[in-house]
Amino acid sequence: MCSHRPSCPATGSSPAAHVVAAHPEQGWSLLCDGTIVFDDTGELLPDGRVVAPRRVSSGRLAMAA
C-alpha cells in the first residue's frame, strides 16, 4: 500500500509509515502499511494481530494544581 519512497519496511515495524486516512473524531488512523493506530496507542495490524496500548502508570502522571 506504500507509495512513498523509500517504502516502509515490514508491517508494524515502521516509524516511517504515513497516515493515509485520519479519523480523530473516532480515535484512529490508517497507515500506508495497513496498520490501524488508535489514539490510546494500541494498534491493529493487517494480519489481525493486536498491539496492546502502552499506558503510563498513574504514579507517573503529573497532577494539576
Side-chain angles (χ1 to χ4, degrees):
M1 200 168 8
C2 293
S3 60
H4 58 88
R5 296 288 176 233
S7 60
C8 295
T11 298
S13 67
S14 175
H18 295 172
V19 173
V20 294
H23 295 277
E25 71 284 356
Q26 297 176 353
W28 63 274
S29 297
L30 174 65
L31 303 182
C32 62
D33 66 358
T35 300
I36 298 172
V37 180
F38 297 95
D39 286 351
D40 68 356
T41 71
E43 298 177 16
L44 180 60
L45 302 178
D47 63 3
R49 291 181 295 141
V50 173
V51 177
R54 294 169 293 285
R55 302 201 173 145
V56 177
S57 66
S58 62
R60 296 184 63 198
L61 293 175
M63 296 181 73

